Amino acid sequence: MTFLQSLLERTGLIASGMEKRKTVTFGDTASVADGRFWSVLSVFTLALAWYLGSALELVNPIFWPAPSAVWDQFVSISGEGYRNFSLWEHIWASLYRILVGFGLGCLIGIPLGFAMGLSKIMRGWFDPIVEFFRPIPPLAFIPLVIIWSGIGERSKILLLFFAALWIMVIAARAGVGSVKLSKIHAAYSLGASKRQILMKVILPNSLPEIFTGMRVAMGVCWGTVVAAELVAAESGVGFMIMVASKFLSTDIVVLGVIIVGAIGYGIDILMRKLEAKLIPWKGKA
């Protein structure tokens, strides 16, 4: 095999020997997951389009700044800070709110979802409450949480708790419902107790649904905290974007948007890695 052929196979431009021997390729998750080259190419294309659009002055810098202007603001804010806080303090403020709110949502939502999946009484009691609040956008609660808790940290954490709670309840409930009865009957036939069935059968088989719910909830929380900081905050990435927009500092606004997207993408990658580590059997049984 030549070096050029090997390089083309790695980038996915031609099929490898293994791919050619496969009888089924459509829907092959292993092939779908191996797309780093195209991801890098996509990012490079977007960056090149941004640079060329600015260099050729196709867009007014007031509406969309040049990459150099955004980079200069990044260097400046990293060193001097913005509105009495450093860039990293703004980022940590947003991350802290998410971690606490998301953690509380998981801490209460997952056990409640399990209870609803295992008990008819619990499901009948809580199902109307969950289904009533689930479709309501978290941002609709902003006026209420400000009235209840003011504009401090507690109000933002409470808002993020609401954002994560219902998603995690539904994910845990769906996870319990996805467990095959044949596995439970097999465990009973081997003499397992109810506690053993819960810990050794139901919980492991529910983890794929729970992790999917956690990824969705984390994405919703990240978007919610930025929007909440636009309304009432003294620090955070959303606060940076809100203040900069008032002074038409588009370069800072774009910098904030890039930070939001990069951190959100990074969190999702970490959760994917954690999921692959803790649930190696997902998609294989």
Side-chain angles (χ1 to χ4, degrees), residues 8-27:
L8 292 175
E9 287 183 359
R10 288 178 178 275
T11 56
L13 294 177
I14 64 173
S16 64
M18 181 65 72
E19 290 292 333
K20 291 177 180 177
R21 289 194 294 271
K22 288 183 178 180
T23 57
V24 177
T25 56
F26 180 77

Side-chain angles (χ1 to χ4, degrees), residues 33 41 122 124 148 152 208 270:
L41 182 61
M122 294 294 289
W148 295 339
L270 288 176

Side-chain angles (χ1 to χ4, degrees), residues 127-147:
D127 194 63
I129 300 173
V130 173
E131 294 301 329
F132 176 80
F133 284 105
R134 179 182 62 84
I136 301 176
L139 298 181
F141 291 103
I142 287 181
L144 282 176
V145 297
I146 290 177
I147 293 173

